[in-house]
Amino acid sequence: MKQVPEEISVADPDLDPETWLDQYGDYLYQFALARIRNKAVAEDLVQETFLAALHGRKSFKGRSAVKTWLSAILKHKIVDYLRNKRREQVINDTDTVTETVDGFFHRNGSWKIRPGKWTLDPSKIYEQREFMDTFYKCLSDLPDRLSKAFMLREMEGYSTKEICNALQVSSTNSWVMVYRARMFLRRCLELFWFKKTKDENR
Amino acid sequence: MSHWMFNCKEVSRRISESMDHDISLYQRMLIRMHLLMCRYCARFRRQVLFLRELCRSRRLDESVLDTSVNLPPDARERIRQALKP
């Protein structure tokens, strides 16, 4: 065993990358594998996650549990991966999602594409791998910055101020971005999940 | 021009904003009143709140994990090397 200088060992085992690997390597791998059913890709994403964490650990400062922090990084990696993969498959995929929500409304501001009725049983939804697949697919359908803004806000619980810093936008901008993301995500789930299951259940 | 409380586009934007920062009591009351009249905005609200619940629930991600698989030893070693200073 190498002798570690006192102040480093006391400093924080939370900030030691090798400890992360020992403690959370399996968990992150399982997590990646659940979303991307490809072992090699899952391994790569886990490695990228640890490297990103290594570079970003100064800004981490224990704002959440290490495990939560690492999973958050991994989730961003997964969404990025899915987005890039689809770009390769579909040529001419210029952000299928338009940047505004205007298309959802008539000019007088009433709904044009009305929110449908969702019958959901949360306890059931949580057990369905396909549902999570759909959700991540929808996240990766969003333009990069919109999915980032949404994930920072809803998955990581960033405040407006933190989002503004992370994405270099104004407060108003950040609210609009998250609003758009919410609008498109709920529409995407409606199209690819709720409609589908309703038909199947009939 | 009519008041924003009769405009679904404006109301839905404010519903979303109210989840990201405090909006005035007055605005919240107007939203409430709109929601009593408009089932689509009410659905919108339920759905975006559901998205939030979805994202915050750890159960969601973890219920589908296969805990019997582990990071393969060679990958673990590769990552360990990559993390070395």
Side-chain angles (χ1 to χ4, degrees):
Chain A
M1 261 283 230
K2 204 167 52 177
Q3 195 60 34
V4 186
E6 178 97 344
E7 68 258 35
I8 291 182
S9 63
V10 170
D12 204 344
D14 272 4
L15 293 182
D16 174 27
E18 295 227 7
T19 316
W20 300 339
L21 182 59
D22 293 337
Q23 290 191 326
Y24 308 113
D26 289 334
Y27 173 77
L28 293 175
Y29 179 66
Q30 290 159 6
F31 197 109
L33 208 52
R35 300 275 67 84
I36 319 262
R37 266 123 20 247
N38 177 315
K39 290 179 178 171
V41 175
E43 289 172 13
D44 286 349
L45 293 178
V46 171
Q47 175 160 345
E48 284 178 31
T49 299
F50 280 119
L51 286 175
L54 179 68
H55 294 302
R57 67 180 158 165
K58 285 215 180 71
S59 59
F60 166 55
K61 290 190 197 119
R63 59 164 287 142
S64 59
V66 176
K67 188 176 174 186
T68 313
W69 174 57
L70 292 172
S71 335
I73 299 176
L74 177 60
K75 285 177 193 172
H76 284 283
K77 300 275 175 211
I78 289 172
V79 170
D80 288 344
Y81 171 80
L82 292 173
R83 182 182 296 114
N84 290 335
K85 193 172 136 207
R86 217 183 29 264
R87 287 245 170 85
E88 283 165 20
Q89 288 167 348
V90 189
I91 314 161
N92 202 3
D93 173 31
T94 46
D95 287 338
T96 40
V97 173
T98 43
E99 279 271 349
T100 70
V101 294
D102 288 346
F104 283 89
F105 299 94
H106 293 292
R107 292 192 61 178
N108 66 5
S110 63
W111 289 97
K112 185 153 80 182
I113 305 176
R114 295 167 167 169
K117 193 173 168 119
W118 293 5
T119 38
L120 40 95
D121 179 348
S123 63
K124 276 211 178 115
I125 256 176
Y126 288 132
E127 281 150 30
Q128 304 199 33
R129 172 176 280 223
E130 292 80 12
F131 177 76
M132 284 312 286
D133 288 344
T134 308
F135 181 56
Y136 273 85
K137 183 203 165 295
C138 289
L139 270 176
S140 69
D141 268 342
L142 288 171
D144 177 46
R145 288 169 62 78
L146 291 196
S147 71
K148 284 231 162 59
F150 177 84
M151 291 170 78
L152 289 175
R153 176 69 192 133
E154 300 292 50
M155 291 182 170
E156 291 157 68
Y158 272 41
S159 67
T160 297
K161 208 172 162 189
E162 290 169 316
I163 295 178
C164 294
N165 283 336
L167 299 179
Q168 293 295 308
V169 293
S170 68
S171 306
T172 312
N173 246 317
S174 79
W175 297 327
V176 172
M177 286 166 79
V178 177
Y179 169 52
R180 287 175 185 165
R182 287 183 177 126
M183 183 65 86
F184 286 109
L185 279 175
R186 53 148 290 275
R187 179 61 182 159
C188 184
L189 286 181
E190 188 160 287
L191 284 175
F192 295 104
W193 183 261
F194 290 101
K195 281 227 166 103
K196 196 183 84 196
T197 48
K198 201 165 80 189
D199 294 343
E200 278 169 4
N201 292 343
R202 199 163 290 160
Chain B
M1 209 164 142
S2 72
H3 193 276
W4 66 259
M5 79 161 284
F6 301 105
N7 184 319
C8 298
K9 188 176 170 184
E10 289 296 316
V11 169
S12 66
R13 187 173 61 78
R14 283 173 167 84
I15 290 172
S16 176
E17 275 195 26
S18 72
M19 295 166 67
D20 299 326
H21 67 107
D22 288 333
I23 61 170
S24 69
L25 182 62
Y26 177 67
Q27 290 203 38
R28 271 185 284 151
M29 271 172 45
L30 294 184
I31 291 174
R32 282 276 158 203
M33 280 163 67
H34 181 96
L35 290 179
L36 291 175
M37 305 179 292
C38 175
R39 86 174 98 149
Y40 302 114
C41 285
R43 283 180 188 167
F44 172 84
R45 179 172 170 277
R46 274 199 300 277
Q47 293 172 1
V48 291
L49 286 173
F50 169 72
L51 285 177
R52 165 164 288 180
E53 188 195 323
L54 202 62
C55 292
R56 297 203 169 165
S57 159
R58 183 167 288 183
R59 192 159 55 126
L60 180 71
D61 279 314
E62 299 194 341
S63 60
V64 294
L65 296 192
D66 179 355
T67 48
S68 68
V69 292
N70 287 329
L71 185 62
D74 54 328
R76 184 182 293 270
E77 193 44 42
R78 202 171 57 235
I79 295 173
R80 195 180 299 283
Q81 291 304 324
L83 288 175
K84 286 248 164 74

